[in-house]
Amino acid sequence: DAGVIQSPRHEVTEMGQEVTLRCKPISGHNSLFWYRQTMMRGLELLIYFNNNVPIDDSGMPEDRFSAKMPNASFSTLKIQPSEPRDSAVYFCASTRTSGKPYEQYFGPGTRLTVT
Amino acid sequence: RKEVEQDPGPFNVPEGATVAFNCTYSNSASQSFFWYRQDCRKEPKLLMSVYSSGNEDGRFTAQLNRASQYISLLIRDSKLSDSATYLCVVNFGNQFYFGTGTSLTVIP
């Protein structure tokens, strides 16, 4: 089975540019999560979707960040405009919320550098 | 107070040693528990789910103590390849709460 797929794997951009990160969850999984990881702050939940609906976006840092899930197999995280403090690894993860335990599987991440 | 707390380490142990990590969680209604492993510059990967009765997978044993709200991971006969950061994860509803991780280095 294909795991969670993320693209791009690496992104280098200049401050002020728009950045779009993409995620394809595991087929059959109905919850999708976006995380950000830095050395200073560890792994932070940004937003999660259940059945394509955003449930909790309280972790989104500010209005520059937005996320969408137009269908069960695709989600985007957009940063506009980007700033150097957005540099981090962004992970997407998915899980199935039927049956226990709810094991969560991560994609390989997008390493974002904003200069 | 953080939802999940772990000793960040680092733990430096010789090959063949037994090492144990503990993790505490704050929400007594938490439902599922996991240990993840994260290698440098890689994504977290599920190591094992933790069941109420405790469970074992080869050299790895996980225990859950609901009364004291802690989870443990025991690694026996440590290998060099066990060097990584180990993340404790607690699930409540649709939310997953991650500890900051415990760093392990196994030394030849």
Side-chain angles (χ1 to χ4, degrees), chain A residues 47-83:
Chain A
I47 185 172
Y48 80 91
F49 295 84
N50 197 41
N51 295 321
N52 312 338
V53 176
I55 302 300
D56 183 354
D57 65 354
S58 60
M60 296 285 260
E62 47 199 271
D63 291 346
R64 297 185 297 108
F65 285 69
S66 62
K68 293 182 180 179
M69 191 164 186
N71 57 61
S73 59
F74 184 65
S75 177
T76 58
L77 177 68
K78 187 177 292 186
I79 308 172
Q80 166 63 18
S82 57
E83 296 182 3

Side-chain angles (χ1 to χ4, degrees), chain A residues 1-6 24-27 94 105-108:
Chain A
D1 283 341
V4 175
I5 298 171
Q6 290 186 249
K24 177 178 168 56
I26 292 173
S27 178
S94 71
Y105 295 90
F106 283 75

Side-chain angles (χ1 to χ4, degrees), chain B residues 79-92:
Chain B
K79 311 291 185 190
L80 297 177
S81 57
D82 294 334
S83 297
T85 297
Y86 290 83
L87 300 163
C88 170
V89 183
V90 172
N91 163 247
F92 176 73

Side-chain angles (χ1 to χ4, degrees), chain A residues 3 7 11 14 17 21 24-25 36 41 53 64 66 69 75 79 85 90 92 105-106:
Chain A
S7 65
E11 177 82 32
E14 290 183 349
Q17 296 299 305
L21 311 181
K24 177 178 168 56
R36 176 172 69 177
R41 300 172 69 92
V53 176
R64 297 185 297 108
S66 62
M69 191 164 186
S75 177
I79 308 172
R85 61 191 167 124
Y90 290 80
C92 175
Y105 295 90
F106 283 75

Side-chain angles (χ1 to χ4, degrees), chain A residues 37 45 56 102-104 107, chain B residues 36 38 43 49 94-96:
Chain A
Q37 188 174 41
L45 175 66
D56 183 354
Y102 297 161
E103 296 176 347
Q104 196 173 70
Chain B
Y36 279 70
Q38 186 171 23
E43 74 272 26
S49 302
N94 284 344
Q95 284 271 28
F96 290 80

